[in-house]
């Protein structure tokens, strides 16, 4: 497989806790960020689930630390690096 230098090479799922009532504001800000390929407001322990794509681990780490975690109303995050993925179609 030939690697495309323009492609994103690292993906992660970020689970985000927000301040009470802050999920809509954080969700709207996430939708504006090019690194965020998907975002969902969810019910449960976490308030938002987002899929992040980056060129490499350093870029991903920097994006989570300096962008996501510093958004107003973000309380905490949990990052899960995607090792393998497949899209299921039914």
């Amino acid at each position: 497989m030939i690697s495309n230098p323009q492609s994103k090479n690292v993906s992660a799922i970020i689970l985000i806790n927000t301040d009470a009532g802050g999920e809509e504001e954080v969700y709207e800000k996430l939708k504006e960020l090019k690194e965020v390929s998907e975002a969902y407001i969810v019910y449960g322990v976490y308030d938002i689930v987002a899929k992040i794509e980056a060129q490499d681990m350093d870029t991903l780490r920097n994006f989570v630390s300096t962008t996501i975690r510093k958004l107003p109303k973000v309380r905490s995050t949990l990052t899960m690096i995607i090792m393998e993925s497949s899209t299921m179609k039914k």
Side-chain angles (χ1 to χ4, degrees):
M1 177 179 184
I2 298 173
S3 161
N4 177 355
Q6 299 298 322
S7 69
K8 307 285 185 177
N9 297 322
V10 179
S11 298
I13 301 296
I14 312 293
L15 305 177
I16 303 169
N17 277 319
T18 66
D19 292 339
E23 59 276 351
E24 288 282 344
E25 182 179 330
V26 173
Y27 174 74
E28 290 301 321
K29 290 193 183 293
L30 289 172
K31 290 189 329 184
E32 298 172 3
L33 301 171
K34 66 179 170 61
E35 295 86 352
V36 178
S37 62
E38 299 177 45
Y40 307 91
I41 294 177
V42 297
Y43 291 118
V45 176
Y46 293 91
D47 301 304
I48 298 173
V49 175
K51 183 176 179 187
I52 310 300
E53 297 179 353
Q55 295 292 344
D56 53 46
M57 288 298 290
D58 287 337
T59 304
L60 177 70
R61 180 177 30 253
N62 186 49
F63 178 73
V64 172
S65 296
T66 63
T67 303
I68 301 248
R69 290 185 180 163
K70 293 193 177 182
L71 288 174
K73 301 195 178 174
V74 168
R75 290 187 122 180
S76 65
T77 64
L78 174 68
T79 302
M80 299 181 294
I81 306 299
I82 296 173
M83 300 303 294
E84 187 174 330
S85 68
S86 176
T87 302
M88 311 305 173
K89 302 214 180 200
K90 297 195 178 203

